[in-house]
Amino acid sequence: MATFFSGVIFDMDGLLLDTERLQMELGPEVLAEFGHDLPRDYFNNLVGVARLQAARMIEDQVGVPIDAAALDIAWDLAMDKKMADKVPLLPGVHDFLDALDRLEIPRAVATNSTTARAEWKLDHAGLLGRLNAVVGVDQVAHGKPEPDVYLEAAKRLNLHPSQCVALDDSDLGVQSAMAAGVMMVIQIPDLVASIDRKAHHEVDGLSAAQTILKIGQSS
């Protein structure tokens, strides 16, 4: 079956992996280690934001400097403890990848996580071997909402962005994919509803995205 796209670029946290929820739940606990207190709801503002930028946003909120590197390490350690047994997947991930396998469509991850961190999580979730490329924020000049990670991901697939479909959960990710010039952006909000509403399609899960792309079980 022919498709209208040649590659798929996924966000990772909150799109493939149910890790964003864990990260935001752990935020107040981690920040408390640094002597600061912010309500749980505040951390929803950090969905999709790279850690360095998140530290700057927290600094602005608490009104004093934060050691971004130390915060990053502490957050990772808390996440590692929480994910000791497994890295949780969001519903429909393997079904979606199975559909791409049947059609021999290459796929990549474009994330604001660092590459090593992303590959560790994907490996422990059993997904790393099912991807053709992983592009982390450390491999490009600028993270989302700039287009760099999506541009690099398309390049790794030997495709032009206009040949690719992008799937992301956050408005920052949608901005990044749109700026990169991908042919279609499908947004699947996770923790936070879209405010911008700029994606070509907004759906409630990967199964619905398969329907839009016409790559369901019967394909």
Side-chain angles (χ1 to χ4, degrees), residues 119-133:
E119 289 180 341
W120 183 90
K121 286 191 280 189
L122 290 164
D123 186 34
H124 282 71
L127 298 182
L128 186 59
R130 306 199 67 182
L131 300 165
N132 299 94

Side-chain angles (χ1 to χ4, degrees), residues 84-171:
D85 294 328
K86 65 176 181 177
V87 178
L89 297 180
L90 282 158
V93 173
H94 283 297
D95 285 345
F96 199 109
L97 294 174
D98 288 346
L100 297 183
D101 286 346
R102 289 193 296 272
L103 296 167
E104 298 183 349
I105 294 174
R107 73 300 305 244
V109 156
T111 176
N112 265 353
S113 291
T114 61
T115 306
R117 185 71 181 162
E119 289 180 341
W120 183 90
K121 286 191 280 189
L122 290 164
D123 186 34
H124 282 71
L127 298 182
L128 186 59
R130 306 199 67 182
L131 300 165
N132 299 94
V134 177
V135 177
V137 69
D138 55 308
Q139 297 189 46
V140 296
H142 305 286
K144 302 174 186 179
E146 299 302 317
D148 303 32
V149 287
Y150 274 104
L151 290 170
E152 182 63 25
K155 181 180 178 182
R156 297 287 181 87
L157 297 179
N158 296 312
L159 297 171
H160 190 273
S162 64
Q163 297 174 282
C164 299
V165 169
L167 294 95
D168 211 300
D169 68 300
S170 72
D171 283 347

Side-chain angles (χ1 to χ4, degrees), residues 4-39:
F4 62 88
F5 59 97
S6 299
V8 174
I9 305 174
F10 297 101
D11 177 46
M12 184 181 69
D13 295 297
L15 191 287
L16 297 176
L17 309 181
D18 195 13
T19 44
E20 221 155 47
R21 191 178 319 278
L22 294 180
Q23 183 166 255
M24 298 311 145
E25 286 175 357
L26 290 168
E29 175 185 320
V30 173
L31 191 59
E33 296 176 19
F34 292 77
H36 304 294
D37 180 37
L38 287 176

Side-chain angles (χ1 to χ4, degrees), residues 10 24 38 64 80 82 91 94 100 110 120 172 203 211-213:
F10 297 101
M24 298 311 145
L38 287 176
V64 296
D80 287 349
K82 203 75 172 177
H94 283 297
L100 297 183
W120 183 90
L172 288 180
V203 297
T211 300
I212 288 171
L213 297 175

